[in-house]
Amino acid sequence: MAKTRPPKKILESYTIKGSDKVIKPGDCVLMRSADTSKPPYVAKVESIEAAGSRGTNVRVRVRWYYRPEESIGGRRPFHGSKEVFLSDHYDVQSADTIEGKCNVHSFRSYTKLDSVNAEDFFCRFDYKSASGSFVPDRIAVFCKCEMPYNPDDLMIQCEECSDWFHPSCIGMTIKEAKKREHFFCQSCTAENGKTTENFHEATGQSEEKPVESKRRRR
């Protein structure tokens, strides 16, 4: 007579091995890569279950976050160093591969952090892993270079038209930009004769353009 498998038990929480940190469904975690030369994967815990006769085989169902370099289009200049995409790729992994908890903030919340720690990430796109497409498929662009905002890069805002600019795109160093008390862009200066300049971190937005991804092998 064949033995029946013991039923799986759904857990409300799990304590990460070797620590006192507790994870629950909905938490974000760092999961160890089989390739130790790569950084840990980022994932959102969907559910936790225990299997085996003693319930010691704990597994987690996760939804993966992709780093830009893991996507079909690869990393682009406007991608932040801590940016991840929430994918439609689900998986079941051993809880033993969880290294620790992390925080995946919204884009707006991330830009308001006083300091960014190693466990802080941000997400502004959902990512379709099969097609390489993004949701939303359009994003605000800034500056003369018409690039989306990268929170790692400093930008200054024109007090007249409220557009944002990278210092390098307007012939200015970051050190010079930080010293400015007022800023008027070239167009507004020509129209109104204003020459003073102001430094600020980018929070506004300009026109929107499609998010493009070029297909590449993973």
Side-chain angles (χ1 to χ4, degrees):
M1 183 176 178
K3 294 183 178 179
T4 59
R5 291 184 178 180
K8 296 178 181 178
K9 181 181 179 181
I10 302 300
L11 304 179
E12 294 183 357
S13 64
Y14 169 78
T15 301
I16 300 173
K17 281 190 175 181
S19 76
D20 57 356
K21 293 183 178 180
V22 177
I23 62 167
K24 298 179 180 179
D27 287 342
C28 294
V29 295
L30 298 171
M31 305 194 75
R32 184 170 57 254
S33 170
D35 184 347
T36 55
S37 66
K38 292 183 177 181
Y41 297 120
V42 182
K44 182 178 181 180
V45 177
E46 297 288 319
S47 61
I48 309 170
E49 62 182 37
S53 58
R54 298 182 180 179
T56 55
N57 182 18
V58 180
R59 299 175 69 81
V60 289
R61 185 172 187 267
V62 299
R63 184 177 181 181
W64 294 113
Y65 283 97
Y66 278 41
R67 287 184 170 84
E69 55 269 25
E70 296 167 341
S71 68
I72 290 175
R75 180 171 288 279
R76 301 181 64 186
F78 65 86
H79 290 141
S81 60
K82 304 303 292 289
E83 184 162 7
V84 291
F85 313 138
L86 182 60
S87 78
D88 56 358
H89 180 186
Y90 293 82
D91 205 353
V92 177
Q93 294 285 318
S94 168
D96 291 344
T97 62
I98 298 175
E99 293 186 353
K101 296 177 71 172
C102 64
N103 303 305
V104 179
H105 304 271
S106 68
F107 180 70
R108 183 177 294 273
S109 296
Y110 181 85
T111 59
K112 293 181 179 179
L113 292 177
D114 292 330
S115 62
V116 177
N117 299 315
E119 65 273 13
D120 289 317
F121 298 87
F122 74 90
C123 177
R124 55 180 157 180
F125 296 110
D126 284 359
Y127 176 69
K128 307 296 183 183
S129 57
S131 64
S133 60
F134 295 89
V135 178
D137 61 357
R138 300 183 72 85
I139 186 172
V141 294
F142 304 86
C143 191
K144 296 161 65 176
C145 63
E146 296 190 337
M147 289 292 289
Y149 176 44
N150 180 343
D152 298 337
D153 295 338
L154 190 103
M155 299 186 80
I156 54 176
Q157 185 182 36
C158 174
E159 295 181 17
E160 186 72 19
C161 65
S162 298
D163 202 358
W164 293 89
F165 299 86
H166 300 107
S168 60
C169 291
I170 54 175
M172 189 185 303
T173 66
I174 291 176
K175 185 177 181 180
E176 289 171 337
K178 289 183 176 182
K179 291 181 179 180
R180 302 293 181 175
E181 294 183 358
H182 300 280
F183 170 70
F184 294 92
C185 69
Q186 186 176 9
S187 297
C188 293
T189 299
E191 291 178 6
N192 305 309
K194 296 179 178 179
T195 59
T196 52
E197 305 182 5
N198 182 38
F199 154 74
H200 199 283
E201 299 237 347
T203 55
Q205 66 181 29
S206 184
E207 64 176 306
E208 292 189 345
K209 290 201 170 185
V211 179
E212 298 178 354
S213 62
K214 296 180 181 178
R215 183 169 294 276
R216 72 178 182 89
R217 295 181 181 275
R218 291 190 62 191

